[in-house]
Amino acid sequence: MSRLDAKKPSLCKSEPLTSERVRTTLSVLKTIVTSCYGPSGRLKQLHNGSGGYVCTTSQSSALLSHLSVTHPILKILTASVQNHVSSFSDCGLFTAILCCNLIENVQRLGLTPTSVIRLNTHLLSLCISYLKSETCGCRIPVDFSSTQILLCLVRSILTSKPACTLTRAETEHISALILRAFLLTIPENAEGHIILGKCLIVPLKGQRVIDSTVLPGILIEMSEVQLMRLLPIKKSAALKVALFCTTLSGDISDTGEGTVVLSYGVSLENAVLDQLLNLGRQLVSDHVDLVLCQKVIHPSLKQFLNMHRVIAIDRIGVTLMEPLTKMTGTQPIGSLGSISPNSYGSVKDVCTAKFGSKHFVHLTPNEATICSLLLCNRNDTAWDELKLTCQTALHVLQLTLKEPWALLGGGCTETHLAAYIRHKTHNNPESILKDDECTQTELQLIAEAFCSALESVVGSLEHDGGEILTDMKYGHLWSVQADSPCLVNWPDLLSQCGCGLYNSREELSWSFLRSTHHPFVPQTCLSHEAVGSVSNLTLDCLTAKLSGLQVAVETANLILDLSYVIEDTN
Amino acid sequence: MLSSMAAAGSVTAALQVTEVLEAIVSCCVGPEGRQVLCTKPTGEVLLSRNGGRLLEALHLEHPIARMIVDCVSSHLKKTGDGAKTFIIYLCHLLRGLHSITEKEKDSLMCENIQTYGRHWKNCCQWKFISQALLTFQTQVLDGIMDQYLSRHFLSIFSSAKEKTLCRSSLELLLEAYFCGRVGRNNHKFISQLMCDYFFKCTTCKSGTDVFELVDDCFVELNVGVTGLPVSDSRIIAGLVLQKDFSRYCPADGDIRMVIVTETIQPLFSASGSEFILNSEAQFQTSQFWIMEKTKAIMKHLCSQNVTLLLSSVRQPDLVIYYAGVNGISVVECLSSEEISLIQRIIGLSPFVPLHALSQCEISNTALVKFCKPLILRSRRYVHLGLISTCTFIPHCIVLCGPVQGLIKQHEDALHGAFKMLRQLFKDLDLNYVTQANDQSDTASLFICKNSGESYKVPDARNGSIQKPYPDTVIENKDELEKTQTYLKAYSNLAISDVELETYIPYSIPKLTPADTFQTDETLRCLSLEKNRLIGDYEALLKSSSTAYSTRGNNRIEICYENLQVTNITGKGGLLPVSFKLQNMGTSQSYLSSSVPAGCVLPVGGNFEILLHYYLLNYAKKCHQSEETVVSIIANALLGIPKVLYKSKTGKDSFPHMYIRAVHALQTNEPIVSSQAGLESVTGKCQLLTSVLQCLTKILTIDLVITVKRHPQKVHSQDSEDEL
């Protein structure tokens, strides 16, 4: 055994943000994330140099978990985006791009970190309070009595992930399925505290997307041979279910810490098997119709149960245990004897089903909030992306249920917000500065950096060389295609704004987003008629965007505040 | 073969090392300080402004640097604060020593040493200085603190006797503390969070034991949640266990719980024993017996209304199953720290399953207010509403942040704050020597002073503190009005009027015997003279020395934003004085005194400037050699305010501030601090002692020998020795 080496001294670098290497790596990360953003975002193919799994994606969660970053500053940035995504699922790329933009813009100014951080925090709280206020002109209430806005929300999420490779019809189909699955997880008679159920996503790769479907209850996958052995059940009433979490394989369970000495001829296996068969007898006499076991059931016990017309399904796995417990209302049994009668549960029906090449046992609940989403897509990578997207959409719907508001998508919220901040800092700087030590000039500089960071985020929605404009009334985003002739009438070129709320028939004036223009008051307070008349809006989740905004600014502040980086080289 | 390399262990080398460290730590000091990003070999990323953590992360190689880091970490272990100040102060001390050696090389050397080489001469000189430092630290420093500095101390407590804290002063203390510890956009929020936590966890009866408990168990009392903005951090009542229920059964009404530290299911065979099975039936019977026994224990628990089982070990499926059947929720695999925290809060001893059935009633159960799952960002926790039997009311802090590194920083800072409070609530002993044969005015004066005080102070104190409240009001009706108008003048301060009015009753007794209001332009401080004491003093003082007559108002009470200044000057009390009187004839007298719990000073280098001023005054009365050492110490102290005021310009810059402060001291006016906020005096005193000890250590080293050994060889040598 050799001795441990002495610790190597760490590397210590001062003012890390000024170093060329950090700037380059930050801008590389920025190009990666910006090129993925939006419905026309470019896909990234991630694969290991030595072969294996290939991932094609444009989603931040998949992208960042596969990227391996080495520089500590990038680690902070990616970790905070990943943490945001794992708690809100959506708006990961938005957070990452905004954070990169903020760092880059503020770095250029060369102000002291103290004032930068203070002002950034002020501007952030200005944004947050505006987005939460009644007068906010870029959010709409979500009406749960109709599916229109909910569908818009889900559709916006699906279209923003091009790696799912869905056609228009497929998008419609999947949006409807996701919404249906979500509605199935809401308990019917909920009073006060609602506990949402669960939607299990069942993979079915290699099938057409249109074949995807939603079923109430749980699907347990099984081989065809096993399925043949199951007897058809002829019973109209609910089925009695016993769910075991302990093994029924006849292993000799824990014999304690001491030693066990067996006399000649004594077989413990037989003793345990006897015990199992006794258990079987008890189950039969209790009129159990269905025995489910997380682990393995001994073949003899299985046969015994089959003989008495009891269906036995084993090797269910730990992931299905919780939904099964919830759906059947059972108490998972951990004992091989004396089962208390109140630990049995029930299901409405058991039937077999075949989807594609796979066979399933389908358990239908009496009244429970568990459903299964059978998700099909052409190949593995597209399926993985679609699954992530569906999870995001379901999570966004849950968040929207808690906070029933949605933000206008398609970049309109960002441009509107930038216009609002510009106007506020220009007309009423005293209210923001209050008793701070910062000067008005500093405020103007930082506000400009902040707003242009927000605007560059939406600027990266455009990947095909088109132009981005903003109108001077609502502060919404309008995009023009690249090959359009110049010097024509704007209303002819622009059909509708990014979120689809306004069209160009209205008398509006436009200007290029990147050009400097006078601060103007974007119209606040959305009218209900305007929202009601449009059927196809692009929407974003309010909760996720708010948190994304906060995390982006907080992380940028954190990185701008760094004076030293100490790297442990051991 | 041993190959070794030697390098002179000189002040120059140590100075070079500390200057590098100073450059790093000084950028994180104070309200303007910035963050440092540290990576661990595991790839973890940590944000920090904690000096100790930074020094540790550097993995320094230089032997002197390593020694300094060791000194810092042993200081931190004691106080949990002041690593950055340590380095800055040490650096300035070394700089001071370095510069005097350039000037006066021979002043401290004896003649016969000149025969040795130059290096050895230096070493001898350093030895001499280090001894002077040690003498200063052990015999003089505490005296200066006790006799001069103590009159400036403020007390954080709104009532010194009960050690109660009011919110506004705690806020000032904590804000100043977190300024140097967490990111500048979060320090206000975190200090509010800590303040809330403090007042939610303590009752009026709580003492230092609460700080001890929180300090010891802080890891268990907070939960980190990543992916949420920092502003989502909050305090929740009860205890959050970082585990999920193994089985959760919702229960209403009374919830009783038990703690177990072993499996409830009896073992098939005990360890160290042999179980002989003769037949299959025997095996089945014993299995059956185990099952029935488990079932019976769980039923018994249920019959005693127990609905919650906390276990430090994993329980078998069978136990979980019967718990579910009987409606008992189970939490398994709790760490020993979690178990001991619960036991400290509710004073419950573990339940022993096998003895349970013999007794008809289980004595060791405890009532719980609630017990439910808590979901924080899709992770599930167990949320327990414990009913405390000690002075700590259980609450947990949920710390949110975008990244783990930031949460860790906040956790460390909060933990450090509790360490600091724990120190603040303790008295700090001061021991020092007065030289009677010096014939200086000071010494003889102190004797007079102490003998005078030993009779007068106790009743004076009783008079001001124990005076019954109603009497005071009657006596001071006119003063009350004055007080209120006076307090109105504070309205530009951050404290609301409502708060002010609630504190008026406390401030009245202090203001009662008011003779003169010292009118200073800011109206921040108010010092009062006490007639009864002054009477005796002036007679004594005038006779001995006129130089000290201005210091007569030795019992001062200052109103500093609702803070009360207690009399600390004469706190030596009766014991040391009587001891002293016995020693009147000898040349040296040993005094002991203390910095009482809760002493604070305004932030922004106040302590350093005060000590600097009094040390320089003291130095004037010393012998020449001693004078150099003391003035080096005094000047080095200014290094800290210099760093703090680095970014300030104009009237707020360091030279302006320093001149104002010294002027105020000379004219005996209170110093006006530009920053609100307070810091603990105890921590500062301990820091100073630690730095001086570290410096003494550095100076006594004359040669650093680097030993390069081959690891294998050493290993074999070791094993030979063993043989």
Side-chain angles (χ1 to χ4, degrees):
Chain A
M1 200 191 94
S2 66
R3 273 190 190 216
L4 288 172
D5 277 335
K7 291 229 169 192
K8 274 177 261 156
S10 303
L11 284 176
C12 184
K13 285 185 211 112
S14 67
E15 298 299 334
L17 279 183
T18 53
S19 97
E20 200 50 48
R21 195 182 139 225
V22 175
R23 286 189 186 192
T24 349
T25 43
L26 264 177
S27 76
V28 167
L29 182 76
K30 194 188 147 187
T31 15
I32 292 175
V33 285
T34 44
S35 60
C36 287
Y37 195 51
S40 62
R42 305 299 190 238
L43 307 186
K44 301 284 167 285
Q45 194 179 60
L46 298 146
H47 68 99
N48 192 319
S50 47
Y53 180 72
V54 177
C55 165
T56 309
T57 188
S58 69
Q59 289 191 55
S60 57
S61 50
L63 191 67
L64 294 179
S65 63
H66 284 95
L67 277 183
S68 69
V69 290
T70 44
H71 197 279
I73 290 185
L74 285 196
K75 265 189 197 161
I76 286 276
L77 208 161
T78 53
S80 71
V81 174
Q82 277 176 299
N83 287 333
H84 161 79
V85 172
S86 63
S87 38
F88 295 96
S89 300
D90 204 13
C91 296
L93 286 177
F94 166 80
T95 311
I97 301 171
L98 181 61
C99 188
C100 289
N101 284 342
L102 271 175
I103 295 171
E104 207 170 77
N105 288 355
V106 168
Q107 266 277 276
R108 237 178 269 145
L109 297 176
L111 295 174
T112 60
T114 321
S115 43
V116 169
I117 288 165
R118 199 171 280 155
L119 290 170
N120 268 343
T121 321
H122 282 315
L123 294 176
L124 174 67
S125 57
L126 201 65
C127 289
I128 302 274
S129 58
Y130 178 64
L131 289 178
K132 281 184 172 170
S133 74
E134 287 297 313
T135 57
C136 175
C138 52
R139 65 166 202 183
I140 58 169
V142 176
D143 179 11
F144 277 90
S145 62
S146 84
T147 56
Q148 190 209 344
I149 287 183
L150 293 174
L151 268 179
C152 287
L153 198 58
V154 176
R155 200 185 297 123
S156 311
I157 293 168
L158 284 173
T159 48
S160 70
K161 320 280 191 237
C164 296
T165 60
L166 298 181
T167 62
R168 188 178 285 265
E170 286 166 346
T171 310
E172 289 303 319
H173 181 65
I174 296 286
S175 320
L177 285 185
I178 291 174
L179 190 56
R180 205 156 87 221
F182 171 67
L183 294 175
L184 278 172
T185 61
I186 301 174
E188 267 172 43
N189 41 1
E191 289 137 20
H193 197 68
I194 303 176
I195 297 168
L196 288 182
K198 202 170 178 184
C199 173
L200 306 164
I201 296 180
V202 182
L204 209 60
K205 293 169 192 175
Q207 298 288 310
R208 291 180 306 154
V209 180
I210 293 294
D211 293 339
S212 308
T213 182
V214 169
L215 296 167
I218 291 174
L219 289 171
I220 301 169
E221 202 187 325
M222 222 176 229
S223 72
E224 200 177 351
V225 187
Q226 278 176 302
L227 207 65
M228 298 288 271
R229 267 192 229 135
L230 292 179
L231 300 166
I233 296 220
K234 299 172 207 80
K235 200 175 178 185
S236 51
L239 304 170
K240 206 170 189 181
V241 179
L243 178 64
F244 284 88
C245 60
T246 184
T247 175
L248 298 177
S249 65
D251 289 345
I252 289 118
S253 56
D254 181 30
T255 50
E257 286 154 1
T259 41
V260 175
V261 180
L262 289 183
S263 305
Y264 180 74
V266 175
S267 159
L268 287 187
E269 285 73 21
N270 283 343
V272 179
L273 194 57
D274 268 357
Q275 234 177 332
L276 284 178
L277 291 177
N278 277 332
L279 176 74
R281 268 173 222 121
Q282 198 197 338
L283 289 171
V284 170
S285 70
D286 283 347
H287 303 291
V288 172
D289 301 299
L290 179 61
V291 173
L292 300 167
C293 182
Q294 183 191 336
K295 292 164 187 169
V296 180
I297 302 179
H298 194 282
S300 307
L301 178 61
K302 233 180 189 177
Q303 200 186 5
F304 175 86
L305 289 172
N306 280 345
M307 263 163 52
H308 293 86
R309 311 194 73 72
V310 177
I311 305 175
I313 303 171
D314 62 350
R315 299 171 210 248
I316 282 172
V318 74
T319 43
L320 275 184
M321 284 306 278
E322 207 198 307
L324 270 175
T325 315
K326 209 168 183 180
M327 189 182 88
T328 56
T330 54
Q331 191 75 254
I333 302 163
S335 150
L336 295 186
S338 67
I339 298 164
S340 116
N342 60 14
S343 43
Y344 297 124
S346 70
V347 290
K348 194 171 161 196
D349 192 21
V350 178
C351 58
T352 57
K354 183 170 184 274
F355 295 100
S357 56
K358 286 186 176 177
H359 296 268
F360 297 95
V361 173
H362 181 201
L363 307 179
T364 325
N366 285 322
E367 44 161 316
T369 52
I370 307 288
C371 68
S372 300
L373 171 60
L374 262 165
L375 202 58
C376 312
N377 210 342
R378 291 166 202 91
N379 54 41
D380 277 11
T381 46
W383 188 86
D384 288 341
E385 183 83 357
L386 184 60
K387 183 197 170 198
L388 262 178
T389 312
C390 288
Q391 283 172 337
T392 306
L394 285 166
H395 194 184
V396 162
L397 286 172
Q398 285 173 10
L399 293 172
T400 311
L401 190 65
K402 265 188 218 158
E403 210 170 350
W405 294 92
L407 287 174
L408 298 177
C412 289
T413 294
E414 287 86 347
T415 45
H416 180 89
L417 202 58
Y420 173 80
I421 296 287
R422 272 217 187 84
H423 160 70
K424 267 274 173 188
T425 50
H426 200 264
N427 287 9
N428 203 357
E430 295 83 12
S431 69
I432 301 166
L433 290 171
K434 282 178 215 136
D435 47 272
D436 266 332
E437 295 145 19
C438 304
T439 63
Q440 284 209 15
T441 331
E442 281 175 327
L443 175 68
Q444 297 302 344
L445 283 170
I446 295 291
E448 190 48 46
F450 191 91
C451 292
S452 71
L454 268 177
E455 286 170 345
S456 329
V457 175
V458 295
S460 44
L461 279 170
E462 185 58 65
H463 300 280
D464 302 312
E467 270 304 336
I468 287 191
L469 302 156
T470 177
D471 67 88
M472 309 297 274
K473 184 179 176 194
Y474 304 109
H476 278 214
L477 173 141
W478 306 72
S479 65
V480 197
Q481 291 195 336
D483 47 358
S484 52
C486 47
L487 294 171
V488 284
N489 198 15
W490 282 124
D492 296 341
L493 274 179
L494 310 161
S495 57
Q496 57 179 12
C497 71
C499 62
L501 190 59
Y502 301 111
N503 59 45
S504 56
R505 265 162 290 166
E506 222 178 316
E507 299 243 323
L508 296 169
S509 61
W510 287 276
S511 81
F512 286 106
L513 193 64
R514 290 179 207 284
S515 67
T516 49
H517 40 74
H518 280 299
F520 63 98
V521 201
Q523 188 177 317
T524 53
C525 298
L526 268 177
S527 64
H528 284 283
E529 302 86 65
V531 179
S533 63
V534 187
S535 63
N536 202 351
L537 283 172
T538 307
L539 296 174
D540 280 339
C541 174
L542 173 78
T543 322
K545 195 135 234 175
L546 270 180
S547 155
L549 191 66
Q550 267 170 296
V551 166
V553 177
E554 269 185 23
T555 312
N557 278 348
L558 207 61
I559 291 173
L560 288 167
D561 204 15
L562 294 177
S563 63
Y564 276 93
V565 172
I566 298 175
E567 260 180 284
D568 197 324
T569 50
N570 288 300
Chain B
M1 258 295 279
L2 298 179
S3 66
S4 59
M5 199 184 78
S10 64
V11 170
T12 331
L15 180 63
Q16 277 167 354
V17 168
T18 36
E19 268 178 344
V20 174
L21 293 181
E22 191 209 14
I24 296 174
V25 296
S26 65
C27 72
C28 327
V29 171
E32 300 289 315
R34 297 170 63 184
Q35 302 265 24
V36 175
L37 191 68
C38 307
T39 62
K40 286 189 176 172
T42 51
E44 243 179 297
V45 182
L46 196 73
L47 283 152
S48 190
R49 289 182 62 190
N50 179 324
R53 213 168 260 285
L54 294 185
L55 293 177
E56 216 175 86
L58 283 169
H59 291 303
L60 296 166
E61 250 184 341
H62 195 284
I64 293 183
R66 285 231 290 265
M67 198 186 80
I68 294 170
V69 172
D70 281 348
C71 287
V72 173
S73 57
S74 72
H75 168 74
L76 283 180
K77 224 173 261 166
K78 223 166 30 191
T79 60
D81 188 18
K84 287 172 284 186
T85 326
F86 188 108
I87 297 292
I88 294 172
Y89 187 42
L90 183 66
C91 185
H92 279 86
L93 278 174
L94 286 168
R95 223 172 260 156
L97 286 176
H98 184 70
S99 63
I100 56 146
T101 44
E102 301 299 310
K103 273 186 262 163
E104 30 164 338
K105 280 233 157 88
D106 307 315
S107 65
L108 295 163
M109 276 188 282
C110 312
E111 276 175 28
N112 58 344
I113 295 169
Q114 280 169 355
T115 50
Y116 290 86
R118 190 169 186 77
H119 174 64
W120 299 105
K121 266 193 266 173
N122 277 337
C123 291
C124 196
Q125 178 198 345
W126 294 133
K127 180 104 207 274
F128 203 75
I129 292 178
S130 99
Q131 231 135 44
L133 279 173
L134 200 64
T135 328
F136 171 79
Q137 184 242 310
T138 50
Q139 304 187 351
V140 183
L141 182 63
D142 284 357
I144 305 254
M145 213 74 84
D146 188 33
Q147 286 156 0
Y148 299 97
L149 227 64
S150 54
R151 83 194 56 173
H152 298 276
F153 293 168
L154 313 166
S155 173
I156 190 98
F157 302 126
S158 44
S159 141
K161 243 193 172 168
E162 282 132 34
K163 292 190 179 173
T164 49
L165 269 174
C166 69
R167 195 183 168 97
S168 54
S169 43
L170 184 67
E171 265 171 19
L172 288 172
L173 181 76
L174 290 177
E175 230 166 77
Y177 182 85
F178 286 112
C179 247
R181 245 133 250 273
V182 297
R184 63 194 95 192
N185 44 344
N186 293 326
H187 82 261
K188 276 225 170 76
F189 178 78
I190 296 287
S191 77
Q192 282 300 321
L193 193 75
M194 165 93 179
C195 233
D196 288 341
Y197 187 70
F198 176 83
F199 284 106
K200 279 185 175 163
C201 285
T202 52
T203 54
C204 50
K205 277 178 244 135
S206 307
T208 45
D209 51 331
V210 173
F211 300 123
E212 268 159 43
L213 189 139
V214 176
D215 184 14
D216 294 344
C217 308
F218 195 73
V219 183
E220 281 73 40
L221 289 170
N222 75 78
V223 188
V225 180
T226 54
L228 296 178
V230 175
S231 54
D232 281 6
S233 306
R234 61 186 182 275
I235 291 162
I236 45 182
L239 191 67
V240 176
L241 301 174
Q242 310 211 9
K243 295 275 173 337
D244 191 11
F245 285 103
S246 303
R247 179 64 40 96
Y248 176 61
C249 307
D252 307 316
D254 275 4
I255 298 174
R256 291 204 150 268
M257 70 162 202
V258 286
I259 297 174
V260 286
T261 51
E262 54 190 297
T263 55
I264 287 182
Q265 178 180 339
L267 290 172
F268 191 77
S269 58
S271 74
S273 71
E274 224 170 55
F275 186 37
I276 300 165
L277 276 176
N278 290 319
S279 70
E280 284 147 29
Q282 194 191 353
F283 173 73
Q284 282 169 348
T285 339
S286 48
Q287 287 280 357
F288 184 74
W289 180 83
I290 288 175
M291 211 152 20
E292 287 303 312
K293 185 88 180 168
T294 314
K295 199 171 159 185
I297 294 173
M298 297 312 285
K299 261 224 169 79
H300 184 57
L301 284 175
C302 179
S303 70
Q304 298 289 317
N305 292 325
V306 171
T307 45
L308 175 62
L309 182 74
L310 300 182
S311 165
S312 62
V313 293
R314 216 185 120 64
Q315 297 287 348
D317 288 340
L318 195 62
V319 176
I320 310 273
Y321 172 61
Y322 284 118
V325 168
N326 290 302
I328 300 172
S329 306
V330 186
V331 185
E332 298 173 287
C333 307
L334 291 169
S335 67
S336 56
E337 288 85 9
E338 283 168 320
I339 293 282
S340 81
L341 173 64
I342 294 170
Q343 289 183 343
R344 269 172 91 165
I345 295 172
I346 58 174
L348 180 70
S349 57
F351 152 82
V352 185
L354 285 179
H355 300 170
L357 285 176
S358 53
Q359 322 161 319
C360 50
E361 202 165 308
I362 303 167
S363 55
N364 26 12
T365 64
L367 215 63
V368 181
K369 254 181 277 172
F370 57 82
C371 158
K372 56 191 180 197
L374 175 74
I375 299 174
L376 295 171
R377 215 208 78 179
S378 69
R379 249 203 83 181
R380 301 212 295 204
Y381 299 88
V382 175
H383 190 190
L384 282 183
L386 297 177
I387 298 168
S388 172
T389 54
C390 61
T391 49
F392 172 74
I393 308 161
H395 279 82
C396 269
I397 307 180
V398 177
L399 285 172
C400 301
V403 277
Q404 186 59 39
L406 192 67
I407 293 174
K408 188 88 188 97
Q409 183 184 27
H410 292 166
E411 187 193 322
D412 281 351
L414 286 167
H415 196 175
F418 272 103
K419 269 207 168 74
M420 185 265 291
L421 283 181
R422 191 177 171 174
Q423 290 289 324
L424 185 67
F425 271 66
K426 277 185 203 154
D427 294 349
L428 177 74
D429 293 329
L430 300 173
N431 297 299
Y432 56 97
V433 178
T434 14
Q435 301 280 333
N437 59 352
D438 253 357
Q439 305 225 327
S440 72
D441 307 359
T442 357
S444 54
L445 179 77
F446 289 143
I447 294 163
C448 304
K449 210 169 162 185
N450 275 301
S451 53
E453 251 174 318
S454 61
Y455 300 109
K456 288 296 166 195
V457 167
D459 59 336
R461 177 168 293 136
N462 290 346
S464 66
I465 291 167
Q466 291 180 344
K467 195 173 272 175
Y469 178 58
D471 289 3
T472 344
V473 174
I474 298 159
E475 269 177 30
N476 300 294
K477 263 185 189 157
D478 49 341
E479 256 103 351
L480 182 71
E481 278 172 22
K482 245 193 248 171
T483 321
Q484 273 171 340
T485 50
Y486 174 70
L487 286 172
K488 287 270 158 62
Y490 282 105
S491 53
N492 60 336
L493 298 174
I495 305 152
S496 71
D497 283 359
V498 187
E499 265 177 293
L500 272 177
E501 261 153 34
T502 50
Y503 291 121
I504 285 170
Y506 291 104
S507 45
I508 290 162
K510 286 182 270 164
L511 295 169
T512 35
D515 283 336
T516 51
F517 281 96
Q518 211 161 348
T519 50
D520 59 87
E521 66 277 10
T522 53
L523 280 176
R524 274 209 171 186
C525 297
L526 168 69
S527 69
L528 303 169
E529 294 182 359
K530 290 224 159 176
N531 260 342
R532 280 180 289 177
L533 273 174
I534 293 279
D536 289 338
Y537 272 132
E538 275 176 357
L540 282 167
L541 288 168
K542 272 176 191 159
S543 62
S544 55
S545 162
T546 47
Y548 288 92
S549 59
T550 45
R551 237 189 281 128
N553 50 348
N554 119 311
R555 185 173 171 80
I556 305 168
E557 293 198 285
I558 298 173
C559 255
Y560 180 82
E561 300 187 12
N562 288 332
L563 287 171
Q564 177 198 358
V565 181
T566 51
N567 175 25
I568 284 139
T569 343
K571 236 226 146 182
L574 291 164
L575 246 177
V577 173
S578 60
F579 169 66
K580 206 179 137 180
L581 288 172
Q582 286 167 7
N583 287 326
M584 279 288 261
T586 62
S587 61
Q588 285 193 333
S589 32
Y590 293 90
L591 293 172
S592 66
S593 167
S594 70
V595 175
C599 273
V600 287
L601 273 175
V603 285
N606 247 320
F607 174 86
E608 285 83 8
I609 290 173
L610 285 174
L611 191 59
H612 162 83
Y613 175 78
Y614 289 118
L615 281 181
L616 282 189
N617 276 0
Y618 172 82
K620 282 175 199 154
K621 300 185 209 85
C622 297
H623 295 301
Q624 198 212 349
S625 64
E626 210 182 333
E627 187 192 334
T628 8
V629 172
V630 174
S631 52
I632 285 171
I633 293 169
N635 288 324
L637 277 167
L638 290 183
I640 293 139
K642 268 181 201 158
V643 173
L644 291 176
Y645 285 83
K646 202 165 54 184
S647 66
K648 299 272 166 64
T649 48
K651 266 197 84 181
D652 289 330
S653 64
F654 174 71
H656 279 94
M657 192 281 274
Y658 174 69
I659 289 167
R660 270 200 306 269
V662 171
H663 179 74
L665 283 170
Q666 279 163 349
T667 52
N668 219 13
E669 277 169 25
I671 302 175
V672 182
S673 172
S674 61
Q675 285 156 311
L678 301 164
E679 57 191 349
S680 157
V681 170
T682 324
K684 288 275 177 190
C685 294
Q686 283 170 326
L687 175 74
L688 210 58
T689 318
S690 302
V691 174
L692 291 177
Q693 275 165 357
C694 177
L695 183 63
T696 326
K697 234 181 182 175
I698 292 174
L699 293 182
T700 45
I701 293 170
D702 69 334
L703 202 65
V704 179
I705 302 172
T706 316
V707 184
K708 281 184 186 158
R709 288 195 275 199
H710 299 287
Q712 287 87 1
K713 254 190 179 167
V714 172
H715 187 70
S716 60
Q717 257 183 350
D718 282 352
S719 52
E720 274 167 21
D721 285 350
E722 277 164 29
L723 286 168

